[in-house]
Each structure stands twice: as structure tokens, then as C-alpha cells.
Amino acid sequence: MIKTEDLFVRFSDGSGIRYRDMCFDTGRSYALLGASGVGKSTFLNLISGVLTPAEGRVTVDGEAVSALPQKARDLYRIRRVGYIFQDFKLLEDMTVQDNLNLLRLEGVDTAQMDALLDRLGILRLKKRRVNRLSGGEKQRVAIARALIKKPAIILADEPTGNLNYETGVEVVKTLLLNAGEGTLIAVTHDDRLAPMFDERMDMNAVAEWIPGGEARQHA
Ligand SMILES: Nc1ncnc2c1ncn2[C@@H]1O[C@H](COP(=O)(O)OP(=O)(O)OP(=O)(O)O)[C@@H](O)[C@H]1O
Ligand SMILES: [Mg+2]
């Protein structure tokens, strides 16, 4: 179970976002909806430990991961979280298979990797360099890279943003299948895909923008 409590993140300009307490059960899938700029990506960054909250905490199965030292937090993310970033963060000069191999667990063999790529419709691109791929192809490489390490927690930031509806449905099905007994939290703007998740959460009602001191002075 993932819990957020009294979560507040502050940006360098003094502004920040406060989040209502949230709870995500193990074995369930969640669609996060909400306006652009409301704080969805920031929320995933807090859960994954990419960002450190100024106040409050993120706990995973009772452990306050947001309070761990940087190294332990990085290990938590590497071992347990499959994070599909909104901007992919792939290694552009490397091939698809090399991007995946960097995160592949020892127990995951090439046949399993190929099956995952095939399911996502990108097996034929395996030996291509990422910087030669289209946006939708890169998006699916980012998904494969997140899933190859069989993470207990999958965080997906608009995983279907660059895909047509039919491919988007396949991708969401693949995410749900791979989430299995774990937890899947996906940001989506697509009202047609949101019903595929167990629960839908409106982040407009969860995140509150707090202006910084500097912003107030200039206002
Ligand atoms: N490092 C930063 N410094 C200042 N403001 C920031 C920073 N990072 C994010 N913000 C602001 O926080 C708000 C939330 O950003 P975030 O990226 O979480 O939005 P989002 O809900 O993911 O939007 P979108 O749907 O467009 O991806 C935005 O107003 C953004 O400008
Ligand atoms: Mg975002």
C-alpha cells in the first residue's frame, strides 16, 4: 500500500503544491485525471522519490520512503518502481535493446524481453537507435523499459499520449497485465481509457497550488 500524508512540495521560486492525503492499495490500478499544470507529474515524482517533499511523507508498505537518505531512495526506485516518464528519459544514442538491457533483471531472459516488445508492437525496432524512432515508438520503448524489471509499483505518466486509440488500449492492457499483484498509477487525459482502471482520481480536487513569497511580492 502506498500512502501520502500531509504532502507539500516546494519549488525553488518558493511556490509549491499541497496534496490531500491519498492511498493506493496493492493489487489495484488507478487513473489520475486533472487539468494541465495541476501537479500530476509532480505527484508521481514524489511517490517515486525523484522529488523530496518539503513537508509530509510517502510510505510504501509502512516504510517512509520519502525520509530515506538519497542512496536508499534511489535503490527503492531502481528495485521497486517502474517509472514511465512523460518525456520518456530514454538513452537516445543507444539501441532499444540496450536501453532495456540496462534494467533487465538477471532472471529475465531474451525471449521474455522479445515477448514484451512484441506485445507492444516494437519488436522489429529492437536493434534501432532510439533517436531514430517516432514519438509513439519511443513511448512504447519507455513502457517496455519500465516493465522489464517486473516492478511492484508502476508509475505511468501519460503512457498513451503519443498513441492512437487502438494502440492505447493495447498499452493499457499490457500495463494492467504487468501490474499483476502490484500497484499501477497512471496519469491519463484520455476519457476513453480511464474506465479500464479500477479507480479514477480527480487530481483537481487533490492538489492545491500555493504561491511563493516571491510570487506574492510581485503580485
Ligand atoms: N521545478 C519547478 N519550479 C517551479 N514550478 C514548477 C516546477 N515543476 C513544476 N512546477 C509547476 O508545478 C505545476 C504542476 O506541474 P506538473 O508538471 O506536475 O503538472 P501536470 O499536472 O503533470 O501537467 P501536464 O498535464 O501538463 O503534464 C505547474 O504549474 C508547473 O509549472
Ligand atoms: Mg505532467
Side-chain angles (χ1 to χ4, degrees):
M1 181 194 281
I2 304 168
K3 277 172 85 170
T4 72
E5 293 164 285
D6 305 321
L7 214 51
F8 174 63
V9 61
R10 184 178 286 119
F11 301 119
S12 52
D13 64 0
S15 65
I17 301 174
R18 189 170 289 289
Y19 292 92
R20 241 183 49 201
D21 292 358
M22 302 280 274
C23 188
F24 303 92
D25 286 329
T26 304
R28 288 185 79 73
S29 61
Y30 299 83
L32 301 188
L33 311 159
S36 176
V38 77
K40 303 180 298 294
S41 297
T42 303
F43 187 67
L44 294 190
N45 282 334
L46 287 163
I47 290 180
S48 65
V50 170
L51 280 177
T52 311
E55 294 169 25
R57 69 209 67 80
V58 176
T59 56
V60 176
D61 299 333
E63 186 181 20
V65 292
S66 57
L68 292 172
Q70 186 70 47
K71 193 174 168 192
R73 200 139 40 99
D74 290 342
L75 280 176
Y76 148 73
R77 185 167 61 253
I78 289 165
R79 292 200 179 127
R80 299 179 63 183
V81 182
Y83 193 170
I84 300 148
F85 292 93
Q86 195 165 10
D87 58 356
F88 314 141
K89 299 201 195 302
L90 294 166
L91 299 164
E92 292 273 335
D93 273 332
M94 291 173 63
T95 63
V96 169
Q97 64 179 359
D98 286 344
N99 266 272
L100 266 66
N101 279 334
L102 281 175
L103 287 173
R104 188 146 63 105
L105 292 179
E106 273 176 28
V108 179
D109 61 22
T110 307
Q112 282 175 281
M113 177 168 96
D114 287 357
L116 178 61
L117 292 173
D118 194 27
R119 164 127 212 172
L120 290 164
I122 50 171
L123 180 57
R124 67 185 176 82
L125 305 172
K126 190 175 152 179
K127 293 188 161 56
R128 271 250 211 122
R129 280 227 311 271
V130 167
N131 58 17
R132 307 271 300 273
L133 303 180
S134 75
E137 289 167 346
K138 285 184 189 181
Q139 185 144 46
R140 282 172 287 162
V141 175
I143 291 164
R145 184 184 61 172
L147 298 181
I148 197 72
K149 63 181 181 180
K150 298 180 182 288
I153 299 167
I154 301 174
L155 305 177
D157 201 345
E158 303 225 25
T160 62
N162 292 274
L163 307 175
N164 62 37
Y165 174 66
E166 287 74 22
T167 314
V169 169
E170 278 313 305
V171 160
V172 173
K173 280 186 190 164
T174 306
L175 287 170
L176 290 165
L177 191 73
N178 279 269
E181 306 291 294
T183 310
L184 169 62
I185 306 175
V187 172
T188 179
H189 276 131
D190 196 327
D191 291 339
R192 294 178 300 177
L193 298 178
M196 294 174 71
F197 296 80
D198 292 325
E199 292 186 39
R200 283 145 294 283
M201 293 179 159
D202 180 6
M203 294 303 283
N204 295 319
V206 171
E208 183 192 2
W209 174 258
I210 311 283
E214 223 180 87
R216 271 200 294 273
Q217 275 166 29
H218 291 295

